[in-house]
Amino acid sequence: MPDVARRLLAIRARMDSAARNAGRNPADVRLVAVSKFHPAQAVSAAMAAGQRVFGENRVQEACAKFPPLRATTPDLRLHLIGGLQTNKARDAVKIADMIESLDRPALADALDRAAQAEGRMPDLLVEVNTGDEAQKFGVPREQADSFIRTCRQRFGASLRGLMCIPPAGQDPVPHFRLLRAMAGEHGLDVLSMGMSADFEQAIAQGATLVRVGSAIFGPRPPTV
């Protein structure tokens, strides 16, 4: 899949340029290649081009796709980025290096139990619903500070930062600024924000992780 390698190079070049334009070190921004719905062959093509961090939003798909890839590439890192059901918490804890979608007390409870059972805890990000959209995952803005404080007390250093997905069709910059301000208030240094259409704006606002899928892998397969 040569197109994957070509697109990856183009995205990395744009990320580096965006970081430099913002007066930032490009090394401080990592790319999460969102491979959800795409086959393992597409992930392998990205790995051959040097990509090591991938994002999936369905635990079952990730569990089927990534263990064989990790067996040959131990430094591969998997982020779970979609809304996570509590009954999938143990599988998520088993396979993920980072869970970017911690957004409610019931899920915090489930992840805590799973971590105790598995003897490991992935890195965690609190997902903030910066647009307070009823149909979206993420802790509502008015509850975010309290929830973040509780999670910091409970999970300690495993809570690394925050994540958001701004409302479609709106200027994302105010949402990125809000997330950056929240992270600063709580002393968190990981900001996962920005996707294929707006990652350069996110980098300008302090993103340390950007999640890019279609611009690397193309449209999702028609069978999905």
Side-chain angles (χ1 to χ4, degrees):
M1 295 186 177
D3 281 350
V4 169
R6 176 180 56 79
R7 291 169 181 158
L8 260 175
L9 287 173
I11 293 297
R12 289 175 183 150
R14 289 171 59 189
M15 288 175 60
D16 287 358
S17 178
R20 291 193 182 96
N21 288 341
R24 301 182 60 196
N25 183 346
D28 292 338
V29 189
R30 301 190 71 187
L31 171 62
V32 181
V34 180
S35 51
K36 64 180 182 180
F37 308 128
H38 293 277
Q41 294 93 321
V43 178
S44 295
M47 290 167 61
Q51 181 63 25
R52 289 294 181 270
V53 185
F54 295 88
E56 293 280 332
N57 75 338
R58 296 193 297 196
V59 176
Q60 186 173 356
E61 180 181 352
C63 287
K65 189 186 299 183
F66 278 87
L69 297 169
R70 183 169 269 154
T72 62
T73 311
D75 61 340
L76 182 153
R77 288 183 58 84
L78 174 63
H79 291 208
L80 291 176
I81 59 175
L84 182 60
Q85 298 175 342
T86 55
N87 63 356
K88 300 292 185 182
R90 188 160 182 177
D91 286 338
V93 165
K94 284 181 183 178
I95 195 170
D97 298 291
M98 178 176 279
I99 295 171
E100 298 198 17
S101 49
L102 175 56
D103 65 353
R104 60 199 188 278
L107 181 57
D109 291 343
L111 291 172
D112 199 358
R113 290 192 298 269
Q116 293 181 40
E118 293 298 322
R120 74 183 299 267
M121 173 62 86
D123 290 337
L124 302 171
L125 302 184
V126 168
E127 180 176 358
V128 180
N129 186 344
T130 57
D132 283 335
E133 297 175 276
Q135 77 279 14
K136 275 190 178 177
F137 294 101
V139 59
R141 287 169 55 168
E142 66 176 15
Q143 300 173 22
D145 285 324
S146 175
F147 185 65
I148 293 165
R149 283 194 296 269
T150 299
C151 289
R152 288 213 75 180
Q153 293 170 358
R154 185 171 200 173
F155 298 116
S158 293
L159 184 68
R160 299 292 310 284
L162 308 179
M163 184 269 256
C164 76
I165 303 173
Q170 289 189 20
D171 180 0
V173 170
H175 298 271
F176 297 154
R177 288 176 176 163
L178 172 64
L179 200 73
R180 181 180 64 189
M182 281 187 180
E185 289 171 5
H186 293 278
L188 298 168
D189 58 7
V190 176
L191 282 172
S192 176
M193 56 190 197
M195 298 186 290
S196 291
D198 56 18
F199 68 86
E200 287 153 315
Q201 293 167 289
I203 290 170
Q205 297 303 322
T208 61
L209 295 172
V210 295
R211 310 178 306 273
V212 180
S214 59
I216 296 170
F217 296 106
R220 68 177 58 177
T223 55
V224 175

